[in-house]
Amino acid sequence: MIVRSAVEVVDPAASGTSWIRRENLAQQALDRAIATLGHPWMGYVGDWHSHPAPCEASAQDLKSIRSASRAYPRPLLLIVHRSGGVLDIRAARRGRSQTVLEVTA
Ligand SMILES: [Zn+2]
């Protein structure tokens, strides 16, 4: 899996400690990105968001990606952009998650 683009789906109610994935807005944003970028292999591979502090993916983050992964036949990624430029990358498949890697952006 190669992540070359990330689509921003703004949650107007997001705070420094929480956000809600808006399914309809996310699908619309993904559809626009695919139409614009136009590669046949492009598609949804997971979610991303940023943390305003240098903390890793939260228990709620991991619960959410594990839950979402049950609806997809392929693994899903969760990318958390931590303060300080670190990307915390997790994968989940069929309800189980694991750390993939941490990289400094
Ligand atoms: Zn988070």
Side-chain angles (χ1 to χ4, degrees):
M1 192 179 305
I2 298 171
V3 177
R4 297 185 71 173
S5 299
V7 175
E8 183 175 14
V9 181
V10 176
D11 174 11
S15 70
T17 58
S18 69
W19 64 282
I20 296 173
R21 187 176 195 281
R22 314 270 179 195
E23 295 291 335
N24 288 341
L25 292 176
Q27 187 63 55
Q28 291 170 7
L30 178 62
D31 291 345
R32 281 193 305 273
I34 289 172
T36 301
L37 299 169
H39 194 286
W41 293 354
M42 285 188 66
Y44 175 72
V45 296
D47 290 335
W48 76 272
H49 63 273
S50 60
H51 282 177
C55 49
E56 62 187 14
S58 69
Q60 182 60 49
D61 291 336
L62 297 176
K63 180 179 176 184
S64 295
I65 198 70
R66 283 194 306 263
S67 176
S69 75
R70 291 187 181 101
Y72 294 89
R74 297 181 184 207
L76 292 184
L77 290 181
L78 169 66
I79 300 174
V80 176
H81 184 232
R82 296 164 29 184
S83 67
V86 176
L87 299 177
D88 179 10
I89 304 171
R90 311 294 179 109
R93 184 175 188 183
R94 296 185 181 146
R96 294 182 170 205
S97 61
Q98 67 181 67
T99 299
V100 175
L101 72 145
E102 290 184 358
V103 295
T104 302

